[in-house]
Amino acid sequence: LMQIAAITDTTTRAVFDRWHRTGSSQKYNSLGDNKMRQKQSGFTLIEIAIVLVIIGLLLGGVLKGQELITSARVRNLISQQDGVKAAFFGFQDRFRAFPGDYTGAVGNIANVSTAACNGGVGNGNGRIEAGDEARLAWEHLSKAGFITGTYTCAAADSATTTPANPYGIYLEVVYDGIYGGGTAAAPAAPRHNVKTGAQIPVELISEMDRKIDDGTPNTGGFQFSRYQGNAAAAPTDGAAAAPACTSATDATGVWNTINGSTNCGGASLL
């Protein structure tokens, strides 16, 4: 883009320099009646066409560059979700239990800490419950080799306990019904899900949904999430204006892709 901008600047300067030299010069000819004639030249069609083509290339390059950046960010978010889902099912297949809920973790996974989070083990009820078990899940997954990095459970979320999305907001794998239109007061059908974390722009979260699911925030395998994590505020929904990420809380809702909300999140249902 910098090279195109430099070419545009050089070409435009040359065209206007020619105009200055030829358009303002005067040529006098004496034809017996002492009449003065002035010859003045302007831009040629070729010169105008060249400038327009270069401007078009420049604008096209900027738009294409923005599109590529957006696509890369969406792929990164999808890859992160896919990695956690693969780790979740891989752990379940190997240990016949869920990470964070596994009662035999200390005896079967090396270096699991017993200093916090129920001594490094879950209660074995078949659910990754919010709180200690949700944080402990990352320690079980990392120390069993299913995700990169090393995480150790503690009483509160931090960079050493929990992985974060590209915007620095913590992820969560948990059993609950707080996804789509579900809330803590009126949850959807509870199930295990992986939350992306908040502060993801609505245009990215909606593009994720279109690429991996049905493109709507309250149906399918990828839905809206109001999980706040360490964000300044929780994502909101059910209105057309920002900061709401979705237009409604039921199946008729759509992503508000044009309102510019920068604090949205999603949940991959497992």
Side-chain angles (χ1 to χ4, degrees), residues 9-10 29 58 88 107 114 116 123 129 132 143 175 185 199 229 248 254 262 267:
D9 183 65
T10 300
N29 294 313
L58 181 59
F88 176 89
T114 60
N123 60 20
E129 297 173 340
D132 281 353
K143 293 181 176 177
Y175 181 88
Q199 290 190 356
V254 297
T262 58

Side-chain angles (χ1 to χ4, degrees), residues 14 16 19 25-26 32 42 46 62 78 89 112 114 126 157 164 167 216 247:
F16 279 95
W19 173 84
S25 65
Q26 295 179 337
I46 293 177
V62 170
I78 292 174
F89 290 118
V112 170
T114 60
D157 289 333
Y167 299 89
T216 57
S247 64

Side-chain angles (χ1 to χ4, degrees), residues 104-191:
V106 172
N108 293 302
I109 302 173
N111 302 315
V112 170
S113 174
T114 60
C117 302
N118 197 37
V121 298
N123 60 20
N125 68 351
R127 302 174 180 177
I128 304 174
E129 297 173 340
D132 281 353
E133 286 195 347
R135 284 188 293 274
L136 190 58
W138 301 117
E139 180 171 6
H140 289 178
L141 289 171
S142 68
K143 293 181 176 177
F146 286 100
I147 60 174
T148 58
T150 300
Y151 301 98
T152 300
C153 192
D157 289 333
S158 70
T160 61
T161 67
T162 310
N165 68 24
Y167 299 89
I169 307 302
Y170 301 136
L171 280 64
E172 184 179 49
V173 55
V174 68
Y175 181 88
D176 69 11
I178 308 176
Y179 59 83
T183 65
R191 60 187 297 176

